[in-house]
Amino acid sequence: MFPESLHVSIREPINTAVQALVVNYGFVFKAISHAILQAILFIEWIVRGLPWWLMIILFMALTWQATRKVSLVAVVAVLLFVIGALGLWDLAMQTLALMLMATLISVAIGVPIGICLAKSRLMRSITLPVLDVMQTMPSFVYLIPAIMLFGLGKVPAVLATIVYAVPPLIRLTDLGIRQVDSEVVEAATAFGGSPRQILFGVELPLATPTIMAGLNQTIMMALSMVVVASMIGARGLGEQVLNGIQTLDVGKGLEAGLGIVILAIVLDRITQGFGRSKLEDGNNG
């Protein structure tokens, strides 16, 4: 047995620090929470307000734009129709709104950080261990500080989802930019391109397929968090799964699980399609 005299606890310092944040900067977290909640409600108002058939058409159009495959467009339409036929349409739209909000914030955070990592070896050495912790830490651990700082509801669910889902986007943005052919960058520099022009005109366009792969992984990981998020008040398909667990209603949980799987398949095919099209455009260019 490990000696008691050598035990070191970080519990008290962490609890004290979080408590100090709540007391001294509660108004800041309240403002952040209000802004994120309003954005979520706006997205939810759009996706839940549109007629179901129009949403299916929009997804079909996105699929066609991404893949140019009639068969896949038809499959997407059938899968989304199945969600409605199972009586899960409204719950699916709530989940979609939550996932879209988490993805938008993840992109706003992940892409700039990924660019910084690609440009700075020091920042890479500091940030990569943090990303390792974010990806390996049990997701329930994220919920504790999120609840303490933001209360129950959609906002802490979104923030916990971001912590879990943003690392792949950061890593693959970093990887995509570092994999850009150095000769192409040197040629752009020789023609007088500034670092900003080279970044936005050369490196980011060439890294787009890899960045899209990171976005795909972020979306999939965000969807995998919906059941965990439902435990702190986030509505949607995850809540249905949670209710099925609590009432031992296997059919109810399975229906909601199928809805989550269908959303994952549809969004996976669309983002993969856009990634392939960007790769083909780059190869053709």
Side-chain angles (χ1 to χ4, degrees):
M1 188 172 180
F2 200 84
E4 288 285 343
S5 59
L6 297 179
H7 285 188
V8 177
S9 175
I10 62 172
R11 183 177 63 188
E12 288 303 324
I14 290 175
N15 289 342
T16 302
V18 173
Q19 189 65 34
L21 282 175
V22 173
V23 172
N24 298 322
Y25 300 100
F27 65 96
V28 176
F29 295 111
K30 187 174 181 180
I32 294 172
S33 177
H34 179 74
I36 294 176
L37 181 61
Q38 292 304 310
I40 296 170
L41 293 176
F42 178 70
I43 296 173
E44 198 172 293
W45 175 73
I46 293 174
V47 297
R48 294 176 71 186
L50 291 174
W52 64 271
W53 51 268
L54 182 56
M55 283 296 297
I56 292 179
I57 291 173
L58 289 175
F59 270 101
M60 290 171 67
L62 274 174
T63 306
W64 172 254
Q65 184 67 30
T67 65
R68 303 291 179 179
K69 294 181 180 179
V70 175
S71 59
L72 192 54
V73 171
V75 169
V76 165
V78 170
L79 289 175
L80 292 175
F81 185 84
V82 168
I83 289 179
L86 291 172
L88 301 172
W89 187 263
D90 191 57
L91 294 174
M93 293 303 102
Q94 292 179 42
T95 296
L96 181 64
L98 200 71
M99 185 276 303
L100 285 176
M101 189 67 220
T103 302
L104 287 173
I105 298 177
S106 294
V107 170
I109 295 172
V111 173
I113 292 178
I115 293 171
C116 292
L117 262 61
K119 299 296 182 180
S120 171
R121 185 172 297 178
L122 175 62
M123 188 167 179
R124 283 189 78 243
S125 64
I126 295 171
T127 306
L128 290 180
V130 176
L131 297 180
D132 291 336
V133 172
M134 291 167 67
Q135 288 187 287
T136 55
M137 184 79 72
S139 54
F140 289 98
V141 177
Y142 306 145
L143 300 181
I144 301 171
I147 292 170
M148 288 186 67
L149 297 174
F150 298 98
L152 295 172
K154 298 177 184 292
V155 174
V158 166
L159 294 176
T161 300
I162 291 167
V163 172
Y164 182 69
V166 77
L169 185 57
I170 295 174
R171 290 181 185 277
L172 288 171
T173 300
D174 167 38
L175 178 65
I177 292 176
R178 286 191 294 109
Q179 284 184 334
V180 173
D181 194 337
S182 59
E183 293 181 359
V184 177
V185 177
E186 290 171 3
T189 305
F191 279 103
S194 66
R196 180 175 178 178
Q197 289 173 327
I198 293 171
L199 174 63
F200 289 99
V202 177
E203 292 176 322
L204 280 178
L206 292 176
T208 297
T210 307
I211 295 173
M212 288 299 298
L215 178 62
N216 173 273
Q217 291 302 304
T218 293
I219 291 173
M220 294 301 102
M221 294 179 76
L223 276 173
S224 71
M225 279 287 286
V226 296
V227 178
V228 176
S230 69
M231 296 180 179
I232 56 172
R235 304 289 303 277
L237 293 170
E239 184 183 39
Q240 190 88 336
V241 174
L242 187 62
N243 289 339
I245 294 172
Q246 292 171 339
T247 60
L248 298 180
D249 190 334
V250 178
K252 188 175 187 178
L254 182 59
E255 281 183 349
L258 285 174
I260 295 170
V261 169
I262 289 173
L263 271 183
I265 291 172
V266 169
L267 294 170
D268 176 65
R269 295 300 179 269
I270 291 173
T271 51
Q272 279 193 17
F274 277 116
R276 288 196 200 97
S277 65
K278 292 294 182 182
L279 181 60
E280 291 169 2
D281 291 343
N283 291 337
N284 294 334

